[in-house]
Structures are given as C-alpha cells and as structure tokens.
Amino acid sequence: RDAGLRVACYNPRGRGGNALASPFMYAAGYTGDLRRVIAHVRHRYPRAPLVGVGYSLGGVYLAKLLAEDGSRSALAGAVALASPIDIHSMARHLRSTWLGNLIDRFVIAPSVRDTLTPYVAAPGAFGDLEAARSARTLDRIDEGVLAPMMGCQSKEQYYVESTPALADVRVPLLMLLAENDPIKPHGLQQALEAATRDSGAPLVLAVTPEGGHSLTWPEGWRAEASWGERVVVEWARACGERATAEEAWPRA
C-alpha cells in the first residue's frame, strides 16, 4: 500500500478470524472462495489490472486457480511465496526429515486441529473429525477430513488433484522459495522446466539460500525490512503495466 498499490487481503474460511459457518474448511484443492473474492474485487474495480499474491498454502490454490482458468484468468499475474506447489512432495518431506516432523507435529497439525474444534460433534460433519482432533500429523488430518471433504478416496488422490497443473498457467507466475524452507517441495524446478518447455507457460522460479518459511524474507539485524515485499511490488507493477499495454486498459 505504501508503494502506491491498492491491496485487498483474503483470509480463507476458518483462518484469520473467519469463523467456520458450515462444515467445510479451506483446502489446497478448493478455489471457489478465492474465485468469489476476485470476482468481488473485479466488480468494484473493473478497469484495474489485478495481481494475486499467495503465501504458503494460499500460493498453492492461487496457482491452481490460474491453471484452471488458463487464458481466461481474471488476473494479470501472480506471486506464490514459500508455497509447496507439489502437495504430495511436501507431505513426504514433512514425514522424512526431523525438522519437517517437528514443524508438522508442533506447528502445522495443531493449527489445523484448532480449526476443526467447532465441528467435532457437529451433526452431518464431514470425515472422521474426532480422529482428526487427536491426529499428530497433517497427513492424518488430510486422510481423515480433507480428502473425504473434497470427495477423494484417499489423501494421495487429494494431493494429486490439489497440485496445480503448471503447464496450463497462461499469466506470469513468480514462485519464490528459500532453500532452507523446511516444507519446500522437491522437483519443482524440473516441473517448471517441463511446463515451460511443453506449453510455453510464463513461469519464473526464484530460490534464495535463506528465508525459511517466514513468508517475508526479512532483511537487517532486526528484520526491519522485507526483501520479499519489494519483489512482490516490482512483480505486481510489471504485470499491471504489461496488462495495461496489451489490453489497453485505462489506468485506474
């Protein structure tokens, strides 16, 4: 906002203070709510190029929405920050490394379990919520709740169906990852190279040595600045200018 961009923040259902009002929580493969948010902003600012920025799991379903919409996308571009684009790879990584296990058991899984609390005893609730409430790892929650909620027979099917088809993306998408991110997916570079080679998808992958999963890429001894924020602003401006030039949209 300080850089002159208008910013709208979307927090998914069950997160960021949004209470769950129905037995359906946010999931990597579900893009319906994000689609409604974009339509709402587009209706309010019909002449303004829109750029999406997703953090962590938010970047996953942002990329999935871009893939679903292809050349019909309402966005002029997007950035996925610290996003485990390949959900299956992330799940394996959490199980196979000591740091991933630690973060899964004491950060990720407890956070998701807290979201499920209002629905443990709810009539007609999806999946095995009682078992999920005692689950120590994310994949157990995925198996017991998110997979059946999304109509999948297993967590593996849910992972596959939730992973964006990058070859179908048709607007500029920047994926920014840190090498020391404990949940970063493996094989993303090869997937991007294949998608770009086979379909010409406008994808850019940038990997920094440091940054972790903080989502901001802090700078300075006191983390008083954010390198990631500057990258987002630069990318958003470039995408907006490109869309304005190509579509002859008036600046708004």
Side-chain angles (χ1 to χ4, degrees):
R1 187 180 59 187
D2 292 343
L5 303 178
R6 280 180 301 209
V7 180
C9 181
Y10 154 59
N11 290 315
R13 58 178 71 202
R15 310 304 295 167
N18 289 334
L20 284 173
S22 63
F24 192 97
M25 62 184 294
Y26 75 101
Y30 180 67
T31 59
D33 287 341
L34 180 57
R35 198 176 296 280
R36 295 184 186 98
V37 170
I38 293 172
H40 173 73
V41 177
R42 165 63 66 216
H43 177 74
R44 187 168 182 179
Y45 300 104
R47 298 181 300 165
L50 304 182
V51 176
V53 182
Y55 293 95
S56 194
L57 193 66
V60 176
Y61 53 76
L62 173 59
K64 189 171 189 295
L65 181 138
L66 294 179
E68 290 172 352
D69 290 352
S71 58
R72 298 177 290 102
S73 176
L75 298 180
V79 185
L81 298 167
S83 298
I85 298 295
D86 185 337
I87 302 296
H88 212 167
S89 173
M90 179 198 72
R92 289 196 303 268
H93 191 62
L94 289 176
R95 293 194 303 266
S96 62
T97 65
W98 70 268
L99 183 57
N101 257 289
L102 190 67
I103 291 174
D104 190 4
R105 289 175 179 271
F106 295 101
V107 179
I108 300 176
S111 175
V112 178
R113 288 201 308 266
D114 289 345
T115 303
L116 297 173
T117 300
Y119 288 95
V120 171
F126 51 83
D128 188 350
L129 286 173
E130 190 59 53
R133 281 285 298 143
S134 60
R136 298 288 303 276
T137 60
L138 182 62
D139 66 339
R140 295 292 298 275
I141 297 174
D142 290 340
E143 182 73 47
V145 178
L146 294 183
M149 183 188 80
M150 294 294 291
C152 299
Q153 299 300 313
S154 66
K155 64 177 185 290
E156 285 76 15
Q157 182 186 356
Y158 165 64
Y159 294 152
V160 170
E161 294 186 2
S162 299
T163 297
L166 295 176
D168 295 334
V169 174
R170 289 295 177 270
V171 299
L173 170 61
L174 169 65
M175 282 162 279
L176 185 59
L177 294 172
E179 187 62 41
N180 66 342
D181 187 337
I183 67 168
K184 71 178 186 302
H186 293 284
L188 182 56
Q189 182 172 348
Q190 290 81 359
L192 259 69
E193 289 174 351
T196 303
R197 180 181 64 250
D198 297 341
S199 68
L203 309 172
V204 176
L205 172 65
V207 181
T208 62
E210 306 287 341
H213 198 66
S214 69
L215 310 179
T216 59
W217 276 260
E219 292 181 314
W221 289 102
R222 298 180 181 178
E224 63 271 12
S226 167
W227 177 78
E229 181 182 290
R230 295 207 310 274
V231 171
V232 168
V233 169
E234 182 179 349
W235 187 265
R237 281 177 171 162
C239 290
E241 291 170 0
R242 173 179 177 270
T244 300
E246 292 187 358
E247 302 294 334
W249 285 345
R251 292 186 180 273

